[in-house]
Amino acid sequence: MPKLGMEPIRRAALVKATIAEVGDVGSLQVTVGQIAKRAGMSSALAHHYFGGKDQIFLAAMRHILSEFKVEVLAELARLKPGAAPDKRAEAIIRACFAQTCFSPQAISAWMTFYVMAQTTPQALQLWRLYQSRLRSNLCHALRPVVADPKAAAATLSALIDGLYLRAALNDPEAGEVATERALVVLRLLRDG
């Protein structure tokens, strides 16, 4: 079995340190030096692995998005075989408001990500990819139950973002309320 090199271990440490540092500060107003120090390495090594703060943060967001994917897959795995088609959309909505999405670190990372996407092409591309996957998954889930699944998915996607922002800014424990509101809209789209 091949020996795992130090690079993946150090990269992972820098990603975790970035999420923690951004979470503590509440914005991207951190330095590569602060991130590297938290990860237990030099800023030169951090620059070597990522090139700069934006690239480290984008790697951190990719990590958060991969954790979100795990959350979605876990919710989908909880579905009983033969469950109604709209249950898949419900599972996706529940994953969007899972407790893990409301940690102080996750909230700070998402807020920073939205801001960064306005000025950084790579962040905008990553945000568009996230949005595209969310809408695609919702569209697939809604295809058997609504007349226009594409429009319904776009509506739910926008609603999810808005409810997340509101819950994150007002009350990180509001994930359950946000989930219920999104599920009400899902039922209206389904029954409408």
Side-chain angles (χ1 to χ4, degrees), residues 80-128:
K80 295 177 182 173
D86 61 330
K87 294 297 181 188
R88 183 176 175 85
E90 284 184 22
I92 295 166
I93 289 169
R94 290 186 197 290
C96 289
F97 300 111
Q99 194 68 30
T100 56
C101 298
F102 289 97
S103 72
Q105 293 82 11
I107 290 171
S108 291
W110 276 103
M111 297 300 169
T112 302
F113 182 50
Y114 287 130
V115 171
M116 190 179 183
Q118 293 178 334
T119 58
T120 307
Q122 297 90 345
L124 180 59
Q125 182 181 10
L126 185 59
W127 179 81
R128 285 180 175 155

Side-chain angles (χ1 to χ4, degrees), residues 42-64:
S42 71
S43 60
L45 201 51
H47 279 286
H48 169 74
Y49 287 128
F50 288 101
K53 182 170 68 171
D54 285 355
Q55 289 77 21
I56 296 172
F57 182 72
L58 288 172
M61 275 315 297
R62 283 186 197 95
H63 176 77
I64 288 171

Side-chain angles (χ1 to χ4, degrees), residues 4-185:
L4 185 63
M6 288 306 293
E7 182 175 349
I9 295 167
R10 288 182 179 145
R11 281 179 171 271
L14 286 164
V15 163
K16 287 181 181 177
T18 301
I19 294 167
E21 199 67 30
V22 167
D24 285 354
V25 173
S27 74
L28 200 54
Q29 298 301 314
V30 298
T31 65
V32 173
Q34 289 170 297
I35 294 167
K37 183 177 180 182
R38 186 178 280 247
M41 62 188 81
S42 71
S43 60
L45 201 51
H47 279 286
H48 169 74
Y49 287 128
F50 288 101
K53 182 170 68 171
D54 285 355
Q55 289 77 21
I56 296 172
F57 182 72
L58 288 172
M61 275 315 297
R62 283 186 197 95
H63 176 77
I64 288 171
L65 288 169
S66 69
E67 288 180 336
F68 172 66
K69 176 184 174 183
V70 169
E71 197 73 52
V72 170
L73 292 174
E75 283 293 332
L76 290 172
R78 289 186 188 101
L79 294 177
K80 295 177 182 173
D86 61 330
K87 294 297 181 188
R88 183 176 175 85
E90 284 184 22
I92 295 166
I93 289 169
R94 290 186 197 290
C96 289
F97 300 111
Q99 194 68 30
T100 56
C101 298
F102 289 97
S103 72
Q105 293 82 11
I107 290 171
S108 291
W110 276 103
M111 297 300 169
T112 302
F113 182 50
Y114 287 130
V115 171
M116 190 179 183
Q118 293 178 334
T119 58
T120 307
Q122 297 90 345
L124 180 59
Q125 182 181 10
L126 185 59
W127 179 81
R128 285 180 175 155
L129 178 63
Y130 153 71
Q131 281 293 306
S132 176
R133 285 182 179 166
L134 178 60
R135 282 192 310 271
S136 175
N137 284 328
L138 286 167
C139 186
H140 174 74
L142 295 169
R143 192 165 279 125
V145 292
V146 298
D148 188 352
K150 209 171 189 181
T155 298
L156 282 171
S157 169
L159 179 69
I160 287 166
D161 276 354
L163 288 172
Y164 179 81
L165 286 171
R166 177 177 276 179
L169 291 173
N170 293 328
D171 181 7
E173 308 227 346
E176 290 177 23
V177 173
T179 301
E180 288 310 312
R181 287 183 178 155
L183 292 176
V184 165
V185 172

